[in-house]
């Protein structure tokens, strides 16, 4: 009886855990769908900004010695996504040394202790967004901070490290240079605007290009993160379902043994009464 009670309690616990993991899986699927739906519009907007920049006069080259370029790493603050953060941290340390980069900017504070073990302390760190709703406030603050550091001479360029979505449960850390903006092919420039100076307009376009590039990359990275979480949740759900089925078999066997023992006790008692 005591064993049967323990098996019933374990069965209830496994069922509760399976319900919780299924809810997490459904939430990850919801966020994943929203992120993938938002990506085409962000990509089109970036293409429009790049086309606008192509017709502006090229910026005058800066002759002074620039400070070191920085590294912006985009990670996750949530769990249940496998080795997602571990791979990003490993690539961040390798890229920082390989490219001779300077200050580190970090989205996702779970990477802080991993980078600290390699001697890298973030100049700025931000909480990673958990969904699409938190993306715009983060990027507005991030772009403002990056622009301020460039203007103050603390940052001479920027490389972005983020996960590229390769399918549900699969991602690849990718390094992309964001600043300085790569030159484009020369195109005929329109005449000067009587309303806005060309250098000011070029600065606005570059800042908007930085924002939408980060936005597009973060959408893809968040989709990769949610895809990893989907795969991990599915694996956990299958493991829990298998464990629940095993406990159900054990409980059925225990009940069968108890019923058999009860029948044997009844038969034995009947025989003793007959002998009397």
């Amino acid at each position: 009886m005591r064993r049967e009670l323990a098996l019933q309690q374990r069965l209830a616990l496994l069922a509760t855990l399976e319900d919780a993991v299924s809810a997490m899986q459904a939430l990850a699927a919801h966020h994943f769908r929203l992120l993938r739906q938002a990506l085409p519009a962000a990509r089109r907007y970036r293409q429009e900004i790049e086309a606008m920049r192509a017709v502006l006069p090229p910026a005058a080259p800066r002759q002074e010695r620039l400070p070191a370029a920085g590294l912006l790493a985009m990670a996750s603050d949530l769990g249940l996504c496998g080795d997602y953060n571990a791979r990003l941290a490993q690539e961040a340390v390798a890229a920082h040394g390989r490219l001779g980069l300077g200050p580190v900017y970090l989205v996702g504070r779970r990477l802080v202790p991993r980078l600290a073990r390699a001697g890298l302390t973030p100049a700025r760190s931000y909480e990673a967004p958990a969904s699409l709703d938190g993306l715009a406030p983060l990027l507005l603050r991030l772009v403002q901070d990056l622009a301020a550091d460039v203007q103050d001479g603390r940052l001479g360029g920027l490389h972005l490290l983020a996960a590229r979505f390769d399918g549900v449960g699969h991602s690849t850390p990718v390094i992309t240079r964001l600043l300085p903006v790569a030159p484009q092919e020369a195109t005929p420039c329109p005449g000067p605007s009587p309303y806005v100076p060309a250098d000011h307009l070029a600065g606005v376009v570059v800042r908007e290009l930085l924002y939408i590039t980060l936005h597009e990359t973060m959408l893809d990275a968040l989709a990769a993160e949610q895809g990893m979480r989907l795969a991990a949740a599915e694996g956990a759900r299958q493991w829990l379902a298998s464990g629940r089925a095993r406990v159900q078999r054990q409980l059925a066997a225990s009940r069968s043994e108890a019923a058999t023992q009860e029948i044997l006790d009844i038969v034995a008692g009947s025989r003793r009464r007959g002998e009397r």
Side-chain angles (χ1 to χ4, degrees):
M1 186 66 180
R2 193 173 296 175
R3 171 177 167 77
E4 185 176 336
L5 181 60
L7 289 172
Q8 287 176 340
Q9 291 175 342
R10 187 177 179 187
L11 188 62
L13 177 61
L14 288 173
T16 301
L17 289 174
E18 189 176 357
D19 289 342
V21 170
S22 296
M24 294 173 65
Q25 186 179 24
L27 185 61
H30 171 71
H31 289 312
F32 176 80
R33 183 172 60 254
L34 292 179
L35 291 163
R36 296 304 291 174
Q37 288 173 349
L39 192 57
R43 185 171 291 126
R44 287 195 301 271
Y45 184 69
R46 176 184 54 78
Q47 292 169 350
E48 292 294 331
I49 293 296
E50 287 178 342
M52 183 184 298
R53 176 179 161 266
V55 300
L56 289 174
R62 298 173 63 178
Q63 301 297 333
E64 69 272 16
R65 183 178 177 82
L66 295 176
L71 174 66
L72 171 60
M74 292 185 171
S76 168
D77 277 336
L78 300 178
L80 200 63
C81 51
D83 61 348
Y84 182 85
N85 282 332
R87 294 175 62 199
L88 286 171
Q90 183 179 5
E91 182 60 27
V93 173
H96 192 273
R98 183 175 68 250
L99 300 175
L101 301 177
V104 176
Y105 300 82
L106 189 58
V107 175
R109 291 173 178 167
R110 281 198 175 197
L111 249 61
V112 172
R114 295 178 182 271
L115 297 182
R117 288 194 288 269
L120 296 179
T121 302
R124 298 181 188 268
S125 62
Y126 310 84
E127 291 184 3
S131 65
L132 184 61
D133 293 338
L135 187 55
L138 165 68
L139 290 180
L140 287 171
R141 180 185 170 197
L142 179 58
V143 171
Q144 183 177 357
D145 290 345
L146 291 172
D149 286 353
V150 170
Q151 179 127 20
D152 294 343
R154 293 192 294 267
L155 190 64
L158 186 67
H159 287 74
L160 172 65
L161 169 64
R164 182 187 65 204
F165 176 72
D166 293 332
V168 175
H170 302 280
S171 64
T172 304
V174 175
I175 292 280
T176 307
R177 193 186 79 166
L178 295 183
L179 297 175
V181 177
Q184 294 182 330
E185 295 183 2
T187 55
C189 298
S193 169
Y195 306 105
V196 181
D199 55 347
H200 174 74
L201 183 58
V204 171
V205 169
V206 168
R207 180 175 296 194
E208 191 66 14
L209 181 60
L210 175 61
Y211 174 88
I212 193 58
T213 303
L214 286 172
H215 184 82
E216 180 185 353
T217 304
M218 181 64 92
L219 284 174
D220 199 49
L222 283 173
E225 175 192 336
Q226 296 294 348
M228 296 290 289
R229 192 166 289 113
L230 269 173
E234 177 61 21
R237 192 189 63 78
Q238 290 180 1
W239 181 84
L240 287 169
S242 174
R244 192 155 60 91
R246 185 171 60 254
V247 174
Q248 285 174 336
R249 290 194 298 269
Q250 292 174 348
L251 181 59
S254 177
R255 286 172 174 171
S256 177
E257 290 174 4
T260 301
Q261 186 61 46
E262 186 176 351
I263 291 173
L264 291 175
D265 290 343
I266 292 173
V267 170
S270 176
R271 285 178 178 177
R272 284 195 296 270
R273 284 193 300 272
E275 291 173 354
R276 292 177 186 173

